[in-house]
Amino acid sequence: MKNFEYFNLATFEIFHECCSSFPSIAHIQPSNIVSGISKFYDAGEIDEEAMDDLVHDTVSWLIREGYLVDHGLDSNHLNVSISERGLRAVNKKPSSLDSNSFKEIFSSSIKTTSLNIVSNAVVELFK
């Protein structure tokens, strides 16, 4: 069930981008999200074209569930911002993680965060 793992990594990267640009609109380039995800895997282990689709699907899901606001698509960017629901979620203090808030987790680089922390953070975020 790698799809859940990929979803968690994509969500982490998307929220990282949104937190970095808050309160402005984040201009998410799917290829940058895919690059972040691919750092967890050996070269050639993931299908980058399929990952690009996963990024689009993850953003769509986060919009549908009310965590992001859609500001449209321009050339290679998905333009989104954190909704009020998303902001409440990232300001929560997760009970199972050693952090003050999700915002601190999502503000860190995915390169310095373990797969286990990413997965736990995303699971806690949607509680």
Side-chain angles (χ1 to χ4, degrees):
M1 290 258 191
K2 287 270 194 192
N3 58 325
F4 286 104
E5 189 174 291
Y6 298 150
F7 171 83
N8 289 341
L9 291 167
T11 299
F12 181 94
E13 281 288 290
I14 292 162
F15 271 97
H16 172 73
E17 293 285 327
C18 289
C19 287
S20 296
S21 64
F22 185 80
S24 300
I25 295 169
H27 306 287
I28 296 174
Q29 190 168 12
S31 61
N32 290 344
I33 304 298
V34 172
S35 292
I37 293 169
S38 66
K39 290 180 181 12
F40 284 93
Y41 303 97
D42 294 328
E45 191 176 351
I46 63 170
D47 177 353
E48 292 196 9
E49 191 172 314
M51 282 295 120
D52 192 81
D53 290 341
L54 176 110
V55 170
H56 283 86
D57 293 344
T58 301
V59 167
S60 294
W61 188 88
L62 291 167
I63 291 167
R64 258 191 332 275
E65 294 302 317
Y67 291 94
L68 298 178
V69 176
D70 184 7
H71 296 283
L73 175 69
D74 68 46
S75 60
N76 297 327
H77 296 93
L78 303 166
N79 300 306
V80 294
S81 59
I82 296 178
S83 69
E84 190 237 343
R85 180 179 185 185
L87 191 57
R88 278 194 317 257
V90 299
N91 282 319
K92 283 193 304 189
K93 294 184 180 185
S95 58
S96 68
L97 302 173
D98 294 331
S99 178
N100 291 332
S101 70
F102 289 109
K103 187 173 20 186
E104 290 179 10
I105 296 166
F106 293 132
S107 293
S108 67
S109 170
I110 198 166
K111 292 176 266 189
T112 61
T113 307
S114 74
L115 180 58
N116 188 39
I117 290 174
V118 170
S119 294
N120 288 337
V122 173
V123 168
E124 286 277 334
L125 178 76
F126 296 129
K127 281 187 176 180

